[in-house]
Amino acid sequence: MPFVTTADGAEIFYRDYGNGTPVVLSHGWPLNSDAWEATARVLAEHGYRAVLHDRRGHGRSSQTWHGNEMDTYADDLATLIDGLDLRGATLVGHSTGGGEIVRYAGRHGTGRLAKLVLVSAVPPLMLRTDDNPEGLPASGFDDLRRGEATNRGQLYRDLADGPFFGHNRGQDVAQGFRDAFWAQGMACGHRAAYECIAAFSATDFRPDLRRINVPTLVVHGDDDQIVPFEVGGKRSAELIDGATLRVYEDGAHALPDTARDRLHADLLEFLGS
């Protein structure tokens, strides 16, 4: 299996499909690159080069004790992009992966990039603070950490059967999608999954968003229970100069699964524009 090795010795697993303009896919918490496999297939079939990786601590990448925060995630992504010498790439990030690619752009610049796509992404800042009163209360993230620490298998089942896919709102979500979420979550290292909750909830991406100078598509569901639209996509689109915003009516958080066909169509349209 292919890996790139980071400065601190972590091995980052990746897959590289197809030929053409590169599209790099970053996954959400606590998942891995399997979450993007259907999109990678569609991209490769339409003449793009799909590159998808497991974030450190997740899936088949090294389960390091340290480095489970956004700066290191972004640096790991830079190691992958530089190692494969990708140029003119589009970065696509779902949920936590959206934070990863935004921090990459803010930390490493956009010299190798052509476009960005944020899908149900965690920027600008999920946590409620004095200067971010629209954010979510810390108690919700404390509950996630408590569930991760005490019975993470049950936590992932509850998320899959509830708010992640919108199954608790009457969304017709196949059992296979929910089982895949649980299986990918259990493949994530316990330390990484616990620490990543702070990474996706408390990282302030507002300065990174203001530095983005490439065309950006923001896609968000208006019934996202994990990253509410008003907290995430709406505000990110306002902070990115010239961003295009697509709002999916009744859309849940897991748009790569629950709105797959529409997302693929919008992604291909944006890539070809």
Side-chain angles (χ1 to χ4, degrees), residues 145-158:
R145 277 186 281 267
R146 190 175 301 110
E148 177 66 38
T150 58
N151 188 348
R152 71 194 193 111
Q154 188 60 51
L155 172 67
Y156 301 155
R157 177 57 64 204
D158 292 344

Side-chain angles (χ1 to χ4, degrees), residues 125-130 132-138 141:
L125 172 59
M126 290 187 69
L127 183 66
R128 181 180 299 166
T129 61
D130 289 344
N132 189 49
E134 302 89 353
L136 302 176
F141 304 115

Side-chain angles (χ1 to χ4, degrees), residues 9-31:
E11 292 192 320
I12 305 300
F13 170 80
Y14 72 94
R15 287 178 281 182
D16 192 347
Y17 296 150
N19 299 290
T21 302
V23 182
V24 181
L25 302 159
S26 292
H27 62 80
W29 172 93
L31 307 176

Side-chain angles (χ1 to χ4, degrees), residues 173-271:
V173 183
Q175 185 70 49
F177 285 133
R178 291 179 278 144
D179 289 347
F181 177 95
W182 184 88
Q184 289 178 49
M186 294 305 295
C188 183
H190 184 37
R191 163 78 171 185
Y194 184 88
E195 293 294 310
C196 191
I197 295 168
F200 71 67
S201 65
T203 301
D204 187 352
F205 298 100
R206 289 173 292 186
D208 304 297
L209 292 169
R210 294 187 181 101
R211 294 189 188 105
I212 293 174
N213 59 359
V214 296
T216 301
L217 173 65
V218 178
V219 178
H220 218 104
D222 66 4
D223 194 31
D224 189 327
Q225 300 171 71
I226 304 297
V227 185
F229 170 65
E230 292 78 9
V231 173
K234 180 177 184 291
R235 295 178 61 219
S236 286
E238 291 169 352
L239 289 170
I240 301 171
D241 186 31
T244 298
L245 176 62
R246 298 277 174 88
V247 182
Y248 287 18
E249 184 178 357
D250 298 326
H253 186 65
L255 295 180
D257 290 322
T258 60
R260 182 175 289 178
D261 291 343
R262 181 178 178 184
L263 179 62
H264 289 169
D266 285 343
L267 180 57
L268 290 170
E269 179 186 0
F270 182 66
L271 289 170

